[in-house]
């Protein structure tokens, strides 16, 4: 993915899980315009805010992948989507 995401807006659905966290880390290393994380876990989002403190390009969306309206809203203006959310 070398520089594939430079100056792009990226959405990581399930961005607080183990795979999603790695995608976010890799995306941030490529100079994106913005990285959006859609997750239903407020606690993990809080931990990510601490972990990635100072990253102004990071945006957080609370929501569930099963909520089509919320996913649609999170996808507005997005160039690349990574779906890493698990359903159980």
């Amino acid at each position: 993915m070398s520089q594939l995401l430079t100056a792009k807006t990226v959405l990581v659905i399930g961005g607080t899980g183990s795979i999603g966290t790695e995608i976010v880390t890799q995306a941030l290393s490529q100079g994106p315009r913005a990285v959006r994380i859609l997750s239903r876990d407020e606690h993990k989002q809080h931990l990510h805010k601490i972990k990635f403190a100072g990253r102004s390009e990071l945006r957080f969306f609370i929501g569930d992948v099963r909520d089509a309206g919320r996913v649609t809203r999170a996808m507005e203006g997005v160039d690349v989507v990574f779906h890493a959310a698990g359903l159980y």
Side-chain angles (χ1 to χ4, degrees):
M1 284 194 322
S2 180
Q3 307 309 314
L4 176 69
L5 305 177
T6 301
K8 301 281 198 268
T9 298
V10 179
L11 171 63
V12 184
I13 300 172
T16 59
S18 56
I19 294 170
T21 298
E22 183 60 27
I23 293 169
V24 169
T25 301
Q26 294 294 320
L28 287 171
S29 73
Q30 294 187 30
R33 179 181 318 115
V35 175
R36 299 177 185 175
I37 294 175
L38 175 67
S39 169
R40 65 183 181 178
D41 193 325
E42 293 180 53
H43 178 68
K44 285 184 182 177
Q45 284 199 13
H46 174 71
L47 295 176
H48 272 52
K49 288 176 185 177
I50 294 168
K51 177 178 180 168
F52 297 110
R55 299 305 301 250
S56 61
E57 66 273 40
L58 203 53
R59 307 283 186 272
F60 293 89
F61 287 75
I62 294 290
D64 193 295
V65 68
R66 295 171 289 186
D67 181 345
R70 191 65 176 145
V71 173
T72 299
R73 171 76 174 104
M75 288 182 65
E76 289 178 4
V78 168
D79 300 302
V80 179
V81 176
F82 292 95
H83 186 290
L87 293 175
Y88 48 89

